[in-house]
Amino acid sequence: MDKRPHVISGTDERYSVKLICRNCRDPIPNIIEDFASGDLVCGDCGLVLGDRIIDTRSEWRTFANDEGDDPSRVGNAANPFLDGAQLDTVIARGGDKGSGLAKDLNRTHGRTTAQRHERNLVQAYKEISALCDAYDIPKTIVDIAKQLYKKVEDEQLQRGKSNDAIIAACIFLACRQDNAPRTFKEICALTKVDRKDIGRTFKFLKSKLGANTGTTSSNDLIARFCSNLNLSQETWRITKLLTEKAKEMEHISGKSPLSIASACIYMASHLIGDGRDAKAISDIAGVGEATIKSTYKIIYANRKELLTPAIMDRNPKASESNLIVP
């Protein structure tokens, strides 16, 4: 750090108070900030006008534990997902000249409940972030999942539950709350947790936390499925119109939104001559081929109601003759 004194002008516009020496009474004082001693000194008579002054200049020293340039006066920003002031004391393991006292103190301190609680949260947050990064899930959803997990931890709802299932259910809930739902199969593939375990934990957390999960509609899933199947934007728009019409049909009541979306993708892709087979759609959507075909059979039987001019006129290749007869 620069140790040279800093001369202050009495008319410096950076300061709201005019500084003068009470001995000299000079209207243009010669006041010096001596940062080495922390004093404010009159340069003419040597009177100390103030002591213990704070150096407000830029910091050039490094306080990092590791090598590197880290001229920061403060530590990391507070983590909103952790409790307390986050100013923990860590007892070093060495420095006791081989007596082993420091190691014992470190072990005892590490067993405290508060530190273990925080350690569990940090580990869970790392796992949530890693899982979501693998599927390119947005940070907003990651933060919601962390908030949900913290509520579970604070209310001690994790007792008797698998921690992996709780993390999977929190991610599933977070996706729904952020209007970007994922299917159970996608969460199963992501977390390697059994679907039944995720379903049970999801229902349990939903009832205990009172989380507003909303409902999953077909339109929430279509865009992602069409993208994964390399279908065009026009196919996606036609599929969206088909699902909106299909939901109004009485014959299809009782079918899940996922089944309806898969069947409508199957119909729309063949309608414009860019068909995808049921197996390809099944692999992406996580719906059985038999379910897709049975749902398609229903909407094909009512195709006259579904294939309105608004749908048929969207693409010149659209033709009812392109559809596969179930």
Side-chain angles (χ1 to χ4, degrees), residues 7-299:
V7 179
I8 301 178
S9 170
T11 57
D12 198 327
E13 296 180 354
R14 292 178 297 170
Y15 300 90
S16 59
V17 179
K18 186 176 181 180
L19 302 175
I20 63 172
C21 175
R22 60 177 177 268
N23 282 349
C24 302
R25 300 287 179 180
D26 189 345
I28 305 178
N30 179 22
I31 299 176
I32 300 173
E33 282 182 302
D34 189 354
F35 293 118
S37 61
D39 294 333
L40 200 63
V41 184
C42 176
D44 295 330
C45 67
L47 179 67
V48 177
L49 304 176
D51 59 355
R52 297 184 181 181
I53 61 173
I54 298 174
D55 186 359
T56 58
R57 299 175 300 174
S58 299
E59 183 64 74
W60 298 109
R61 290 180 297 173
T62 176
F63 295 94
N65 292 328
D66 302 325
E67 294 183 0
D69 186 18
D70 179 26
S72 175
R73 292 176 182 264
V74 296
N76 294 329
N79 190 336
F81 300 113
L82 297 177
D83 296 321
Q86 300 172 33
L87 299 175
D88 295 337
T89 299
V90 179
I91 300 175
R93 285 178 172 266
D96 56 357
K97 298 181 180 180
S99 66
L101 179 61
K103 185 176 180 181
D104 292 339
L105 287 172
N106 178 279
R107 185 185 299 111
T108 303
H109 182 68
R111 289 174 180 172
T112 59
T113 305
Q115 192 174 12
R116 183 165 59 251
H117 168 72
E118 184 174 305
R119 187 166 59 247
N120 292 340
L121 284 176
V122 170
Q123 183 61 35
Y125 294 160
K126 287 181 180 179
E127 191 168 348
I128 289 172
S129 298
L131 290 171
C132 291
D133 288 345
Y135 262 38
D136 294 327
I137 294 176
K139 188 179 183 301
T140 53
I141 295 178
V142 176
D143 290 344
I144 294 173
K146 289 179 180 179
Q147 289 173 354
L148 290 170
Y149 187 89
K150 189 175 187 303
K151 287 182 181 179
V152 172
E153 188 81 14
D154 291 343
E155 299 181 20
Q156 297 183 351
L157 301 176
Q158 75 276 20
R159 293 179 179 177
K161 303 288 182 183
S162 166
N163 194 58
D164 292 338
I166 290 174
I167 290 175
C170 287
I171 295 174
F172 184 79
L173 270 169
C175 291
R176 279 199 171 187
Q177 288 188 358
D178 202 50
N179 298 319
R182 298 298 193 272
T183 63
F184 277 114
K185 182 177 180 180
E186 289 176 302
I187 301 299
C188 289
L190 173 65
T191 61
K192 304 297 187 292
V193 179
D194 185 70
R195 177 172 178 170
K196 291 182 179 179
D197 290 340
I198 297 176
R200 283 194 295 264
T201 309
F202 162 69
K203 290 179 181 178
F204 173 76
L205 296 183
K206 182 180 176 182
S207 62
K208 293 294 183 180
L209 298 178
N212 180 21
T213 59
T215 57
T216 302
S217 67
S218 305
N219 291 336
D220 295 329
L221 306 169
I222 290 169
R224 191 168 73 257
F225 291 165
C226 288
S227 175
N228 292 337
L229 288 165
N230 296 322
L231 292 171
S232 64
Q233 286 284 328
E234 198 58 47
T235 306
W236 167 70
R237 294 189 183 95
I238 291 175
T239 304
K240 187 176 179 181
L241 292 173
L242 284 173
T243 54
E244 290 173 355
K245 294 288 292 181
K247 285 186 291 186
E248 300 172 0
M249 295 168 48
E250 296 181 1
H251 306 82
I252 209 167
S253 60
K255 295 291 183 179
S256 70
L258 194 56
S259 301
I260 296 173
S262 302
C264 288
I265 292 173
Y266 185 73
M267 172 177 271
S269 63
H270 284 91
L271 183 68
I272 63 173
D274 187 22
R276 298 291 188 273
D277 58 24
K279 186 179 185 307
I281 298 174
S282 173
D283 293 339
I284 295 296
V287 181
E289 291 184 56
T291 304
I292 295 175
K293 290 181 178 179
S294 63
T295 308
Y296 172 73
K297 185 176 181 179
I298 296 173
I299 62 176

